[in-house]
Amino acid sequence: METMTKIASYDRVSELKGFDETKTGVKGLVDAGVSQIPRFFHHSSDKLANHKPLSSDLLHLTTIPTIDIGGRIFKDTIMRKNAIKGIKEASEKWGFFQVINHGVSVDLLEKMKDGVRGFHEQSPEVRKQYYGRDFSKEFVYTSNFDLYTSPAACWGDSFTCYMAPNPPKAHDLPAICRDVMIEYSKQAMNLGEFLFELLSEALGLNSNHLNDIDCSMGLRMLCHYYPPCPEPDLTIGAGKHSDSSFLTVLLLDLIEGLQVLRDGYWFDVPPVPGALIINVGDLLQLITNNKFISSEHRVLANRATRARVSVACFFTTGLRHNPRMYGPMRELVSEDNPPKYREITIKEFTTHRNAKGL
Ligand code: OGA
Ligand code: NI
């Protein structure tokens, strides 16, 4: 029996290596015309199911709230107050909301998605040069960052880069998407700083509070490419996880797939043209002592005939050097609400989270 397990797991590891060594990701498999997905992508079906029926008190809900942030210049104080109230409720109950009138132009959103599509669809020879698993590099293209540690792989590829506080040199970025990555990350930073002001007020703090403690200092961009999947019931695009950031700004395209877990039920997030998804990450949950929640979410395997792309901008310094310690904010804890977490650096926190995989 033991020998059997050894042979089976040996096969699995060599299959993973074979896939990794192609350096062209899931997109490479699709280009090769696979009609059945390799075994290592199979997820157990009970994990994929929407196991729990929707509880009666949530039956009236269909998806995450939408908040109009007035182009970032509210016409009157009532509109501003309403937006802050909406953000507060959404951050407490869902950990997710969608913003409209966010001030980032639709043209730039489209160009950003075209850039991601362009990178993943350019010739394999160019893509391969960026492929790897050394995450200390400026720009890394890979498939399944936890390929060798997770129980099953996901049907998607991605590339990642830290864009702030020390932006990469233009020549460290692929020519096909460098300009748009630089422009979009600047716009995402501006939007993030504005959202941290509203979030500070939603917590009853001075509007500069979260920016002053550097929540908006670091930005890591993660650009996903989910090719069409020939057997979408057997796998997933991105497994269940929460984000380890303070906050995430997520740009989606019009192919569905994102789901958010609330009270054991998977809610679909239907794509809305021009909108951006905002979600609370683990670090914001930590510093708010669980007032705001970092919800688990996932992406179903792509059933469409074209690839789905998305761009996640994580506000965090991640694995980069940052000596600041974060713990529950003094202003939010009391004798009745003692700190639920100890103080920790972002690097220590992220290292622990990454080791766990998705
Ligand atoms: C993420 C994420 C969702 C998506 O990158 O953390 O949840 O739709 N992405 O790609
Ligand atoms: Ni996520």
Side-chain angles (χ1 to χ4, degrees):
M1 197 56 220
E2 202 189 314
T3 344
M4 291 268 293
T5 327
K6 264 186 192 150
I7 290 167
S9 61
Y10 175 78
D11 269 346
R12 186 184 142 80
V13 172
S14 54
E15 273 184 48
L16 292 174
K17 277 203 177 122
F19 167 70
D20 206 18
E21 281 163 8
T22 65
K23 298 179 185 278
T24 51
V26 173
K27 167 72 169 140
L29 295 177
V30 171
D31 286 344
V34 295
S35 56
Q36 290 192 314
I37 68 175
R39 270 182 312 177
F40 62 84
F41 286 100
H42 289 193
H43 284 242
S44 64
S45 53
D46 55 313
K47 281 202 179 131
L48 297 177
N50 205 349
H51 27 255
K52 218 176 126 184
L54 189 53
S55 65
S56 55
D57 54 320
L58 295 182
L59 273 176
H60 62 291
L61 296 173
T62 52
T63 190
I64 61 170
T66 298
I67 295 161
D68 184 338
I69 54 168
R72 292 186 231 164
I73 0 170
F74 293 103
K75 279 205 291 284
D76 50 60
T77 51
I78 297 179
M79 263 197 79
R80 184 181 167 89
K81 282 227 169 77
N82 276 340
I84 291 171
K85 184 164 170 273
I87 287 178
K88 177 172 184 280
E89 285 175 7
S91 303
E92 288 173 355
K93 299 202 177 93
W94 286 95
F96 262 85
F97 53 95
Q98 171 167 271
V99 289
I100 53 169
N101 275 319
H102 45 65
V104 185
S105 79
V106 173
D107 182 54
L108 183 58
L109 300 182
E110 290 308 311
K111 286 199 172 117
M112 184 65 232
K113 285 183 278 185
D114 290 345
V116 176
R117 212 175 278 282
F119 176 83
H120 290 275
E121 291 177 0
Q122 70 190 323
S123 79
E125 284 64 40
V126 180
R127 244 157 64 217
K128 276 180 187 176
Q129 297 167 15
Y130 294 97
Y131 191 94
R133 299 187 180 275
D134 174 2
F135 295 101
S136 63
K137 284 203 170 144
E138 283 293 334
F139 181 98
V140 187
Y141 161 52
T142 200
S143 183
N144 287 273
F145 85 94
D146 54 358
L147 184 68
Y148 295 103
T149 50
S150 71
C154 299
W155 199 254
D157 306 324
S158 52
F159 64 77
T160 185
C161 185
Y162 286 96
M163 302 302 291
N166 302 302
K169 307 263 183 306
H171 66 252
D172 288 325
L173 300 175
I176 195 159
C177 53
R178 67 167 64 121
D179 292 346
V180 78
M181 283 178 76
I182 292 168
E183 180 57 25
Y184 180 74
S185 60
K186 280 185 196 155
Q187 296 289 329
M189 280 297 264
N190 294 341
L191 172 62
E193 283 168 15
F194 181 74
L195 291 169
F196 280 119
E197 288 180 14
L198 301 185
L199 287 160
S200 300
E201 289 186 49
L203 291 164
L205 305 167
N206 176 300
S207 65
N208 295 325
H209 197 102
L210 293 172
N211 285 314
D212 284 348
I213 63 168
D214 291 343
C215 291
S216 54
M217 185 170 83
L219 188 76
R220 182 182 153 231
M221 226 172 156
L222 180 61
C223 301
H224 301 284
Y225 186 85
Y226 304 95
C229 182
E231 295 180 300
D233 294 321
L234 300 184
T235 190
I236 197 147
K240 172 172 117 172
H241 69 281
S242 60
D243 295 352
S244 58
S245 54
F246 287 105
L247 197 70
T248 304
V249 174
L250 180 66
L251 166 60
L252 299 182
D253 81 10
L254 296 180
I255 297 173
E256 72 282 5
L258 179 64
Q259 295 186 317
V260 175
L261 192 63
R262 177 168 173 186
D263 284 1
Y265 185 83
W266 287 107
F267 283 88
D268 290 319
V269 179
V272 171
L276 287 167
I277 308 292
I278 310 297
N279 65 290
V280 172
D282 299 339
L283 288 167
L284 192 54
Q285 172 167 335
L286 181 148
I287 65 170
T288 63
N289 209 32
N290 288 4
K291 186 161 175 55
F292 288 171
I293 55 164
S294 169
S295 292
E296 289 181 311
H297 50 284
R298 68 179 182 183
V299 179
L300 298 178
N302 185 2
R303 296 174 178 276
T305 49
R306 66 179 181 92
R308 175 185 185 271
V309 297
S310 69
V311 178
C313 282
F314 301 109
F315 283 90
T316 175
T317 51
L319 296 174
R320 291 243 175 129
H321 174 74
N322 178 358
R324 194 187 260 275
M325 302 286 288
Y326 288 95
M329 292 188 281
R330 243 173 285 131
E331 296 79 359
L332 300 185
V333 297
S334 63
E335 221 168 283
D336 299 336
N337 180 21
K340 294 180 173 72
Y341 305 98
R342 68 169 172 94
E343 295 213 323
I344 192 167
T345 63
I346 298 179
K347 190 172 172 181
E348 189 192 347
F349 180 78
T350 311
T351 305
H352 170 75
R353 279 292 318 271
N354 288 357
K356 270 185 24 186
L358 275 190

